Amino acid sequence: MSNSDLLIMGALDNTGQVPVELSLATDNVSYSTIGIQKAAQQWMCLFLTRTGSALSDPSYGTNFLAGLQGSNLFDELEVQAKFNEAVRDSLKWLNKNTTRTRDDEIITKVELINLIMAQDSVQLYVHITTRAGETRTYTTPTAYLNR
């Protein structure tokens, strides 16, 4: 799937040229999402945010990107382990800090179904399942490593 599947990734076309802001809007036009799309948006923002970088809530985020960019992860098993840890932490944060009533907006499972590692990047293919049983597969943006 392409980055356009996730609205928060719309601003990544200019990565490296301007600061990136993850939001559910493009060109000052906001989008409304519901169901698994909303759940995926919220989870991806949380998953890709470094813990401690959100001033309003220092507990928001995961250490996944920090682990990748710290060049401590050199093989697929290490990336998988770091991914699993970040999924556990992100789902725990979501369950504690969000109130949702729709079963199709409550993520019950996030699986890494494919991983492509290059010399300086990692591409993740993530399968998300909600309490309602809906599933989708998303591609995360490439994370560049500082080795």
Side-chain angles (χ1 to χ4, degrees):
M1 304 223 158
S2 67
N3 285 344
S4 63
D5 291 337
L6 289 168
L7 297 172
I8 61 167
M9 300 303 153
L12 295 182
D13 292 339
N14 297 322
T15 300
Q17 300 169 19
V18 296
V20 172
E21 291 184 29
L22 298 179
S23 68
L24 299 181
T26 57
D27 299 324
N28 297 322
V29 176
S30 296
Y31 297 97
S32 178
T33 62
I34 61 171
I36 193 168
Q37 178 73 329
K38 178 180 178 181
Q41 304 284 340
Q42 291 174 328
W43 179 80
M44 192 67 71
C45 281
L46 176 61
F47 179 75
L48 294 175
T49 299
R50 287 176 186 244
T51 304
S53 66
L55 298 178
S56 61
D57 184 354
S59 71
Y60 183 85
T62 71
N63 291 315
F64 183 74
L65 289 180
L68 288 181
Q69 294 174 340
S71 71
N72 296 322
L73 306 177
F74 294 102
D75 66 39
E76 290 186 19
L77 290 177
E78 290 178 279
V79 174
Q80 176 76 55
K82 194 67 174 170
F83 175 86
N84 291 340
E85 177 185 330
V87 166
R88 184 193 68 231
D89 293 346
S90 61
L91 293 181
K92 182 178 176 182
W93 190 96
L94 284 171
N95 287 330
K96 179 181 176 188
N97 294 289
T98 59
T99 54
R100 292 167 283 180
T101 56
R102 297 173 50 119
D103 283 351
D104 62 351
E105 293 177 357
I106 300 171
I107 295 175
T108 57
K109 189 181 211 181
V110 179
E111 298 173 283
L112 182 60
I113 60 169
N114 194 13
L115 167 67
I116 298 174
M117 293 184 69
Q119 182 176 350
D120 61 352
S121 65
V122 174
Q123 187 85 32
L124 305 172
Y125 295 84
V126 179
H127 191 73
I128 295 175
T129 305
T130 67
R131 184 182 291 165
E134 289 190 52
T135 62
R136 296 284 188 285
T137 300
Y138 295 98
T139 304
T140 64
T142 301
Y144 291 97
L145 312 177
N146 299 323
R147 294 190 189 246

